[in-house]
Amino acid sequence: MIKNAIVRRPGHSLVNGITSAPELGKPDYGLAIKQHDAYIEALKSCGVGVTVLKADERFPDSCFVEDVAVCTRKFAVITNPGASSRKGEEIEIIEVIKKYYNDIEYIKKPGTLEGGDVMMVKDHFYIGLSKRTNREGAEQLIKVLGKYGMSGSIVEMLEMLHLKSGLAYLEDNVLLITGEYINNLEFKKFNKIMIDEEETYSANCIRVNDYVLVPAGYPKTKEKIEAVGFKVIVVDTSEYRKVNGGLSCLSLRF
Ligand code: CIR
């Protein structure tokens, strides 16, 4: 059961967020705020209490709070972001995390790790080696997990920004999967829902209690998720997509 979520309002500087898709244009700030409001409402309608942090204009990507912490059922980890413009965001989340967790661990340099590269499946954590998360960071996390009786394993990555850009665990052994992960033996045991190539972005969905949040504009993905019996809430993230952000990145959930 997810009881809590933490989100951070986007600042006007969101328009300067890191992106690999400049052809999509800059985010419209007014629309981004409206979409953020709707995202918060969607989380609340799933029975989650939402803590809303103030925008931090110094960090264009700081609304993507998922990347700065990993929240497990026993402890939290403050990460060390691999993107230079994001270094320092993790400091801003520490006091907030302290309100919810007694046990807090830290990824330390030269290790780097971003939460978007960490997928939790019960007490096992898949950690993607991306341009943001290095082997040292992944190994630090695996060591910490072991300390609390949990485990982690490393997933080699080729193309995607983050591990969860192409994977989402929906609980009940169901995994949304796309692109480079489809033939990865690490994910053989799951009941896989394959996401069509033209809907790749929508592999980033989130299960929140009785619902799955799905981004607007991806009818095939929505249909496939409904077909296995999940109730879906559609949330528009078009402005976040312009800076490579999606549903999971916009909150910490625990
Ligand atoms: C970044 O490149 O860091 C942001 N523009 C997007 C972060 C997305 N986060 C995520 O997938 N967990």
Side-chain angles (χ1 to χ4, degrees), residues 42-59:
L43 290 172
K44 286 183 179 166
S45 68
C46 299
V48 174
V50 185
T51 297
V52 183
L53 307 176
K54 279 198 299 206
D56 188 338
E57 294 290 353
R58 295 170 301 162
F59 298 108

Side-chain angles (χ1 to χ4, degrees), residues 68-103:
V68 294
V70 176
C71 295
T72 80
R73 69 183 175 85
K74 294 184 179 172
F75 66 100
V77 182
I78 305 297
T79 69
N80 183 24
S84 54
S85 66
R86 303 199 61 182
K87 286 194 192 294
E89 281 182 35
E90 75 284 6
I91 309 287
E92 303 304 322
I93 207 79
I94 296 174
E95 287 309 312
V96 189
I97 294 290
K98 278 186 180 163
K99 293 190 184 134
Y100 296 97
Y101 285 94
N102 293 325
D103 292 312

Side-chain angles (χ1 to χ4, degrees), residues 54 123 242 245:
K54 279 198 299 206
D123 281 352
K242 292 174 179 170

Side-chain angles (χ1 to χ4, degrees), residues 57-232:
E57 294 290 353
R58 295 170 301 162
F59 298 108
D61 289 300
S62 54
C63 60
F64 301 120
V65 280
E66 173 181 67
D67 293 319
V68 294
V70 176
C71 295
T72 80
R73 69 183 175 85
K74 294 184 179 172
F75 66 100
V77 182
I78 305 297
T79 69
N80 183 24
S84 54
S85 66
R86 303 199 61 182
K87 286 194 192 294
E89 281 182 35
E90 75 284 6
I91 309 287
E92 303 304 322
I93 207 79
I94 296 174
E95 287 309 312
V96 189
I97 294 290
K98 278 186 180 163
K99 293 190 184 134
Y100 296 97
Y101 285 94
N102 293 325
D103 292 312
I104 302 178
E105 306 281 345
Y106 298 83
I107 300 297
K108 300 182 187 105
K109 58 179 191 184
T112 64
L113 185 127
E114 293 188 2
D117 285 320
V118 181
M119 183 175 76
M120 179 174 80
V121 176
K122 297 195 172 16
D123 281 352
H124 184 80
F125 293 71
Y126 293 91
I127 309 160
L129 293 188
S130 66
K131 290 200 173 68
R132 306 291 181 84
T133 295
N134 63 18
R135 194 170 290 277
E136 166 70 24
E139 281 169 358
Q140 283 182 29
L141 180 58
I142 291 171
K143 200 167 167 199
V144 164
L145 288 163
K147 191 170 134 186
Y148 293 87
M150 299 175 172
S151 58
S153 55
I154 286 176
V155 181
E156 302 283 346
M157 290 172 54
L158 302 170
E159 297 159 4
M160 300 217 179
L161 170 63
H162 284 122
L163 182 74
K164 287 185 290 188
S165 308
L167 281 178
Y169 185 60
L170 301 186
E171 307 295 332
D172 308 314
N173 204 43
V174 178
L175 184 68
L176 297 188
I177 192 162
T178 188
E180 62 179 274
Y181 305 122
I182 288 175
N183 296 318
N184 190 323
L185 295 177
E186 284 270 358
F187 307 116
K188 199 165 170 248
K189 67 175 183 185
F190 294 103
N191 175 14
K192 296 197 262 295
I193 298 181
M194 312 279 188
I195 302 301
D196 282 34
E197 213 168 300
E198 73 269 24
E199 296 203 352
T200 295
Y201 173 78
S202 63
N204 186 257
C205 290
I206 48 175
R207 170 84 185 264
V208 187
N209 299 330
D210 293 336
Y211 297 90
V212 177
L213 271 52
V214 177
Y218 301 92
K220 288 187 189 161
T221 298
K222 177 174 178 278
E223 208 172 284
K224 287 179 185 177
I225 293 173
E226 284 172 336
V228 294
F230 290 115
K231 288 185 280 185
V232 161

